[in-house]
Amino acid sequence: DDLRSFLDTHAIEGRYVFVRTRHLARNSGSTITDEIVDLFENLGSDPSPTPYSTTIASQTYNDVWVMRTRVGDPEETVEQVSPSSESSEVKEISLTVDLDFPYPEGSTVTPLIGPVTEWQSLSWIARAASADSEVEVEVLAPDSTRLLGPFTGLDGTTALASLDAETHPRIRLRATVRDSSVRRPPQLDEWSLQLRGIPEIAVDAAALQAIADTLQEGATLDINLPVSNLGAVPAENVSIAYSFTSSADNTTNIVARDTLDRVEPGDSQMSQVAVSTSGTTGATTLDGTASSPAPERLTFNNTAIRNIRVLGDDAPPVLRVFSDGRQLQARPEADDLNLKDARLPFVSLRPTLEIRLEDENPFFAIDDTSHVEVFLSEGLPSSDTGFLSTYEQIGFGDGVLSFTPSDPTEGVQEALITYTPDFTGRDSTYTLRIEGRDASDNEIEPYEVSFRVETEQRIRDVYPYPNPMSTQTTFAFRVEGGQTEDLENFRLRIYTVAGRLIREFGARDLQTGRLRVGWNLLPWDGRDEDGDRVATGVYLYRVSVQGSDGTFTGDVEKVAVIR
């Protein structure tokens, strides 16, 4: 039943059929049944006037037999048989044949042709097998839908101007050849298309490797990407899109675009863009992809990539406060701190307070007043700046605050806020609180500095260090109260114990070159007015300064010199 079904289905007109026996080591009878014999003689269920096999009826399953025939042509049958016998050594025979298929008709289809910018003409040439030879040529879409034709004739040329290349940038050709009289179709020797080619854009993928693989957020990438046209026609309006793809979440953002108006065949032009890494952090892929309105045959060479790592800007800025050029340290957190604590610095009645907000990231400028808020409170308030706070915010419109933005050309961004209050007649302790953030919204811990202001001016705590000294000591003293502008005629005099003046210093000898409210430092190298080193012994010194309310003179103190 299986053999009958197979032959009835597949043994159709014109097909070749090959048969051979296989020794099955049968233990039962070796006779081939009549039904099997009939199926091979007829190649199926329907009787054949001329049997295809003339030997199978005399064979057994122990014989080695092979047959080749063709449905519809019993005269083409070839059979070979080796009868079984106990003395036979034959277990296999072979049959080699050269097949011929004289079909009257056939067709051939090209692979996809294109893309192109213009289809111009189609030509073909065929050789006839007889006077009845025919050739048909068709133009097909990629899905084999016929677009033009059929065009007939053994040779010919036809215009393709009606075929829109923008709509159909790729096509196939199909040729059908036939000859019903000699059953051998004509031979298609040649067919060709006349067309206008396409640009072939390619970028230099190695160009992006010049970019550093590790960058700080905010850095600008200066990209120079060569774009070449390897095609036969100019590339118009070549667009280059640059994007960042984050490895963390695989999101892609276009960060820049560039357009080259025209790239001639065989020529190259440079795409130049500046791309900021602001808002990009972590492992990132930089992608530069070129494209043109015209289709291209290859697109894998249109893209250049560079893997980079962008270090995020997550460090807050640094804030420092200066009074008349002297840095004021943050307010001590000691529990015993009081309004007149000696640890609190003095400032002038009309000080110039400089608030410097510095960010190490050189790419984000601190460029407006939104980065800083300044508060002032009389006394030692809590750190709360809410509704119940004693802090009052100082506005930039109040005339006492000025803002100088950071210079984007500098390596470190530092903005300067100048605060010029007037505390005249308001002897007290004040606390200044500054809240700040950089351009990436990294906030500093609120910076608080407390200081004292007094109208009465005096000198305190004059002492040299080290004492005793050998070759060098520094006199330190503090001017309390008043204002720096009122300080004049500073003198520090050094005497022998007998009262002889050996050295006198003025304001220009101070470390800062001028006297100011607060701590002042003056170095002494142990030499007298003549430049000679003084002898070992004890010496006396006294500080005096003229202020707005008179001359203030410190106590006489001692300094020992040991050689």
Side-chain angles (χ1 to χ4, degrees):
D1 290 340
D2 290 341
L3 179 60
R4 179 183 297 108
S5 176
F6 177 82
L7 291 172
D8 288 345
T9 302
H10 298 289
I12 61 177
E13 185 80 13
R15 286 189 175 177
Y16 286 92
V17 179
F18 299 84
V19 189
R20 59 154 288 180
T21 56
R22 181 164 60 94
H23 192 277
L24 299 178
R26 298 174 63 91
N27 295 321
S28 58
S30 61
T31 303
I32 300 175
T33 64
D34 291 341
E35 289 179 313
I36 298 299
V37 171
D38 290 344
L39 288 175
F40 279 115
E41 288 181 342
N42 300 319
L43 292 185
S45 301
D46 297 332
S48 176
T50 302
Y52 287 92
S53 174
T54 59
T55 64
I56 189 171
S58 61
Q59 304 303 311
T60 72
Y61 281 115
N62 292 327
D63 295 322
V64 180
W65 167 65
V66 64
M67 179 182 76
R68 181 266 291 168
T69 188
R70 190 175 188 189
V71 181
D73 294 307
E75 65 275 9
E76 291 196 19
T77 299
V78 177
E79 295 182 274
Q80 291 185 25
V81 64
S82 176
S84 60
S85 67
E86 294 181 357
S87 61
S88 174
E89 296 295 330
V90 177
K91 299 187 184 306
E92 188 65 69
I93 59 176
S94 64
L95 176 64
T96 302
V97 294
D98 293 325
L99 302 181
D100 186 17
F101 296 88
Y103 279 104
E105 180 178 318
S107 64
T108 182
V109 180
T110 67
L112 278 177
I113 303 169
V116 302
T117 55
E118 181 184 4
W119 300 108
Q120 296 172 340
S121 64
L122 164 64
S123 301
W124 69 95
I125 300 174
R127 284 180 289 121
S130 75
D132 295 326
S133 293
E134 298 177 2
V135 176
E136 290 182 351
V137 180
E138 300 167 282
V139 178
L140 309 178
D143 62 357
S144 296
T145 301
R146 187 166 65 189
L147 300 175
L148 296 175
F151 307 108
T152 61
L154 292 176
D155 56 66
T157 299
T158 183
L160 300 180
S162 62
L163 188 60
D164 182 13
E166 185 173 345
T167 305
H168 302 288
R170 292 176 173 86
I171 62 170
R172 301 179 192 273
L173 298 179
R174 178 169 63 194
T176 302
V177 292
R178 66 176 64 91
D179 192 308
S180 58
S181 61
V182 298
R183 294 176 62 83
R184 292 187 184 277
Q187 297 301 301
L188 181 64
D189 287 340
E190 177 184 314
W191 52 358
S192 62
L193 284 167
Q194 297 297 317
L195 51 85
R196 186 171 183 266
I198 57 172
E200 185 61 52
I201 300 301
V203 301
D204 183 358
L208 297 188
Q209 302 310 306
I211 297 174
D213 58 2
T214 303
L215 304 162
Q216 190 170 5
E217 182 184 2
T220 297
L221 308 182
D222 293 318
I223 300 176
N224 297 285
L225 183 63
V227 180
S228 302
N229 181 6
L230 308 179
V233 298
E236 308 282 355
N237 298 319
V238 179
S239 174
I240 304 94
Y242 297 90
S243 64
F244 283 147
T245 299
S246 170
S247 297
D249 55 14
N250 205 35
T251 57
T252 299
N253 295 307
I254 302 294
V255 293
R257 292 185 184 274
D258 190 23
T259 299
L260 304 177
D261 294 336
R262 184 183 178 94
V263 184
E264 297 292 340
D267 195 8
S268 178
Q269 291 193 30
M270 190 72 71
S271 170
Q272 296 179 312
V273 297
V275 176
S276 174
T277 58
S278 178
T280 301
T281 58
T284 303
T285 299
L286 168 64
D287 178 303
T289 298
S291 61
S292 67
E296 294 185 64
R297 182 174 293 104
L298 305 174
T299 56
F300 68 87
N301 57 1
N302 288 29
T303 298
I305 62 173
R306 173 65 163 153
N307 293 321
I308 60 176
R309 179 172 293 277
V310 181
L311 305 178
D313 181 15
D314 53 9
V318 175
L319 189 143
R320 294 176 297 167
V321 179
F322 295 81
S323 173
D324 296 325
R326 182 181 69 252
Q327 184 172 354
L328 301 180
Q329 300 299 325
R331 177 167 57 88
E333 297 292 340
D335 295 335
D336 60 345
L337 192 67
N338 59 68
L339 297 178
K340 295 188 177 183
D341 197 292
R343 288 168 288 183
L344 298 179
F346 277 84
V347 301
S348 174
L349 292 174
R350 292 192 297 273
T352 298
L353 300 175
E354 293 183 347
I355 302 167
R356 301 177 187 176
L357 190 62
E358 180 181 294
D359 189 14
E360 291 186 354
N361 189 320
F363 306 111
F364 292 138
I366 304 174
D367 53 8
D368 60 66
T369 59
S370 65
H371 294 281
V372 182
E373 292 180 291
V374 180
F375 302 86
L376 184 68
S377 174
E378 187 171 357
L380 301 173
S382 67
S383 60
D384 181 21
T385 57
F387 179 72
L388 298 178
S389 172
T390 57
Y391 280 110
E392 293 184 3
Q393 185 168 1
I394 309 300
F396 283 92
D398 295 345
V400 293
L401 272 184
S402 64
F403 180 85
T404 303
S406 62
D407 185 349
T409 64
E410 297 293 332
V412 175
Q413 300 294 321
E414 182 181 82
L416 175 64
I417 300 91
T418 303
Y419 179 36
T420 54
D422 186 352
F423 297 117
T424 303
R426 300 165 59 188
D427 293 4
S428 185
T429 296
Y430 296 90
T431 299
L432 187 69
R433 177 186 173 99
I434 303 101
E435 298 177 3
R437 63 190 65 82
D438 62 17
S440 297
D441 278 339
N442 297 308
E443 296 185 355
I444 63 169
E445 289 292 328
Y447 189 97
E448 293 183 350
V449 56
S450 295
F451 51 83
R452 295 171 63 187
V453 175
E454 288 187 7
T455 302
E456 182 183 355
Q457 210 165 40
R458 57 185 175 272
I459 299 175
R460 288 186 182 274
D461 304 324
V462 183
Y463 63 88
Y465 180 83
N467 189 13
M469 60 169 283
S470 175
T471 60
Q472 181 77 32
T473 192
T474 298
F475 293 95
F477 61 95
R478 184 161 74 163
V479 177
E480 297 180 355
Q483 58 189 39
T484 297
E485 291 79 2
D486 294 335
L487 298 175
E488 307 179 333
N489 298 327
F490 163 76
R491 293 289 182 271
L492 187 150
R493 297 180 174 91
I494 302 176
Y495 304 87
T496 65
V497 292
R500 181 172 64 87
L501 178 66
I502 62 171
R503 188 74 180 267
E504 181 178 274
F505 296 97
R508 64 181 181 180
D509 298 310
L510 294 166
Q511 277 190 351
T512 58
R514 67 187 182 94
L515 189 64
R516 62 189 180 183
V517 174
W519 283 102
N520 296 267
L521 300 176
L522 189 150
W524 180 41
D525 59 5
R527 297 178 184 272
D528 60 18
E529 291 289 352
D530 297 327
D532 298 324
R533 293 188 180 277
V534 300
T536 297
V538 176
Y539 295 85
L540 307 178
Y541 65 89
R542 171 179 279 184
V543 172
S544 64
V545 61
Q546 183 176 335
S548 58
D549 297 330
T551 300
F552 311 100
T553 304
D555 296 332
V556 176
E557 304 287 348
K558 298 177 181 179
V559 58
V561 178
I562 301 177
R563 299 297 186 188

